[in-house]
Each structure stands twice: as C-alpha cells, then as structure tokens.
C-alpha cells in the first residue's frame, strides 16, 4: 500500500524472564481502521497490547507509530504521542469517583481534542448520572465504560482495547460496541482484543488470529473461512 500504516509491529518479540511469549509478531493498523486480535487464552494477545503501549519495552524498531520507532519508549511517552490503552480488567481507582477516574485520562494529554467529560458522558449517558459514584459502586459494564472513557480523555489516535467484553452480559457488550463508530468518527483507529470470534468478525475491518505467540491468520472477515479460523485458533488437527 502507498499509505504508511498508522501503527505497525515489526518482528515483535516479548519475554517474561526466560519465557518467550511473542515470536516475531507483525501487525499493521491503518488510519480509520478497526482491527481485532483473536486467539485462545495464553496466545499472547495481552502481551502484544502491553508491548505496543510500552508497558513491556522492546527494541526501538519493533513498534512504529506514524512512521517513527516507538518500541523503546516508556508507556507515558507513548500515551502522550497518541496511543492509549484500555487495560484488561478495567483497573479503575476504587476510591475515586467516576469523574475523577475519567480526569486521570487527561494526564499527559498533549493537545485538546474532541474528548472531554461532556463528550464522554454523551457517549455513555449512564456515566453522567453516576459521575459522583465511586468506581466500586458500578456494574461491570459501567466500569468498562469508565475505562474506555478514561482512555479517550487523552484524545488518542490509536485506542488499544484488551478484552472489553470479558465477563459482561451480551446486552451490555452490545451497548459498549455501539460506541465504536463514534470513537472512530472522533479520529481514533482501534485495535481490540476479543475472545468472541463472532463479535470480532462483526465489528472489525480486519482480523488477526494469534496462537502460541505468533500470528497464525489475518484478513478481512469476509475472506476468512470458519475452517481457517478454527485451525488458526486451535491449531490444525
Ligand atoms: P488471555 O486471554 O488469557 O489474557 P492472552 O492471549 O492475552 O491470554 P497473554 O496474557 O499475553 O495471553 O499470555 C501469553 C503467555 O505469556 C502465556 O503463556 C502466559 O502464561 C504468559 N504470561 C503472561 N503474563 C506473564 C507474566 N507476567 N509472567 C510470566 N508469564 C506470563
């Protein structure tokens, strides 16, 4: 393609001590694209997100953003440049209110943009009603909305979402995915880790499947067959 990808990993590897969790992962995210990462437990999806976000450090060239190598930069610098993460398990500050949790997302923000308390409350109206409640007084779905809102408050160009639907009821998951078009319209491209294959196929422009620290399949949802996905997800039998 003529266009440089907005974000790209180049032969990304990751280790926990001696244990190698990623073995040369290459993924790309274009401007305005939504990419889903699918794969079984332990495939390395969270490790990939944490490596891109700078929580795990890499070789400088193993991650590039906007054509610049960012792989060796710390997480706060990566966030300031426009890559925000919604972590697995939401990680809210339980003693802080909804509003205080959202305002934490403005830390390190470089420029003003679309996302403010008001526009986040427009996206998830229930949070406006609950703005003074502590994070712990919320349902799982509402906590997930706060975690997404907090990441949006930095006005990211790339939003990394790790398992946003984990443990939530289908109707709540639907509500959360309904926010994706508005997030894209405000100028962010998304990488979303999703265990639910059908869900991933429904919302993503492109899908990567991982297994045992490697990308085993990639493509647009309409080009991937059920059999190919099954083999890439579980291994060919
Ligand atoms: P899940 O859906 O369970 O979150 P995942 O695809 O996100 O799975 P990772 O969490 O990235 O997978 O884990 C990849 C591999 O790295 C697994 O084998 C896991 O046991 C290992 N791993 C993850 N975190 C650590 C850690 N902090 N220390 C040691 N090994 C780890």
């Amino acid at each position: 393609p003529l266009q440089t990808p907005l974000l790209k990993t180049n032969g990304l590897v990751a280790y926990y001590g001696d244990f190698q969790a990623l073995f040369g992962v290459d993924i790309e995210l274009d401007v305005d694209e939504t990419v889903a990462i699918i794969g079984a437990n332990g495939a390395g999806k969270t490790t990939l997100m944490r490596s891109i976000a700078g929580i795990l450090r890499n070789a400088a060239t193993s991650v590039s953003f906007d054509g610049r190598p960012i792989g060796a930069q710390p997480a706060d610098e990566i966030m300031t440049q426009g890559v925000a993460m919604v972590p697995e398990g939401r990680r809210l500050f339980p003693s802080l209110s909804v509003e205080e949790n959202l305002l934490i997302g403005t830390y390190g923000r470089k420029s003003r943009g679309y996302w403010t308390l008001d526009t986040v409350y427009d996206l998830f109206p229930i949070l406006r009603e609950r703005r003074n409640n502590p994070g712990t007084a919320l349902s799982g779905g509402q906590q997930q909305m706060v975690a997404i809102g907090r990441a949006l408050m930095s006005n990211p160009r790339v939003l990394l979402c790790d398992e946003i639907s984990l443990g939530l009821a289908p109707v709540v998951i639907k509500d959360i995915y309904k926010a994706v078009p508005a997030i894209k319209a405000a100028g962010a491209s998304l990488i979303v880790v999703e265990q639910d294959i059908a869900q991933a196929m429904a919302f993503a422009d492109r899908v990567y499947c991982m297994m045992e620290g490697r990308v085993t399949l990639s493509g647009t949802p309409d080009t991937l067959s059920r059999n190919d996905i099954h083999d890439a997800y579980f291994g060919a039998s």
Side-chain angles (χ1 to χ4, degrees):
L2 293 172
Q3 189 190 26
T4 310
L6 180 60
L7 192 128
K8 190 174 184 314
T9 66
N10 310 295
L12 182 67
V13 295
Y15 295 85
Y16 296 104
D18 289 339
F19 178 79
Q20 186 166 4
L22 297 180
F23 296 82
V25 171
D26 298 312
I27 68 162
E28 290 185 8
L29 175 70
D30 286 325
V31 173
D32 288 334
E33 203 179 24
T34 300
V35 159
I37 313 283
I38 62 173
N41 283 331
K45 307 178 300 295
T46 295
T47 304
L48 174 61
M49 294 299 107
R50 299 179 79 217
S51 297
I52 294 171
I55 299 162
L56 298 170
R57 304 265 193 108
N58 315 286
T61 56
S62 63
V63 184
S64 56
F65 173 57
D66 225 358
R68 295 187 307 272
I70 61 162
Q73 293 180 10
D76 57 341
E77 273 177 34
I78 290 177
M79 197 189 91
T80 306
Q81 289 176 56
V83 179
M85 167 123 133
V86 182
E88 191 175 20
R90 297 137 204 171
R91 306 279 168 93
L92 303 187
F93 291 91
S95 61
L96 301 184
S97 69
V98 164
E99 191 144 309
E100 288 164 336
N101 269 287
L102 290 174
L103 287 171
I104 284 174
T106 58
Y107 161 80
R109 174 164 74 174
K110 207 159 58 177
S111 54
R112 300 174 75 85
Y114 177 77
W115 295 108
T116 60
L117 284 174
D118 251 346
T119 53
V120 168
Y121 290 148
D122 290 344
L123 185 69
F124 298 123
I126 187 73
L127 299 187
R128 182 177 273 122
E129 288 170 37
R130 299 286 163 92
R131 64 206 293 169
N132 296 318
N133 291 25
T136 45
L138 304 177
S139 70
Q142 291 162 3
Q143 288 183 27
Q144 190 63 74
M145 291 171 190
V146 176
I148 295 168
R150 180 181 55 187
L152 292 175
M153 289 292 280
S154 69
N155 283 307
R157 294 178 63 201
V158 173
L159 187 67
L160 307 169
C161 299
D162 196 358
E163 308 236 9
I164 43 179
S165 51
L166 199 67
L168 302 180
V171 54
V172 179
I173 295 171
K174 225 177 113 199
D175 263 359
I176 287 176
Y177 273 101
K178 267 201 297 206
V180 168
I183 293 170
K184 290 180 78 165
S189 307
L190 287 90
I191 303 181
V192 181
V193 169
E194 179 56 69
Q195 285 243 359
D196 181 337
I197 298 173
Q199 182 73 256
M201 295 296 155
F203 78 84
D205 300 316
R206 226 147 41 74
V207 176
Y208 289 94
C209 184
M210 292 181 68
M211 188 175 61
E212 296 173 357
R214 293 179 169 85
V215 170
T216 46
L217 186 72
S218 67
T220 55
D222 57 315
T223 60
L224 301 177
S225 76
R226 274 170 171 272
N227 275 339
D228 290 345
I229 293 166
H230 183 277
D231 289 353
Y233 200 100
F234 299 105
S237 46

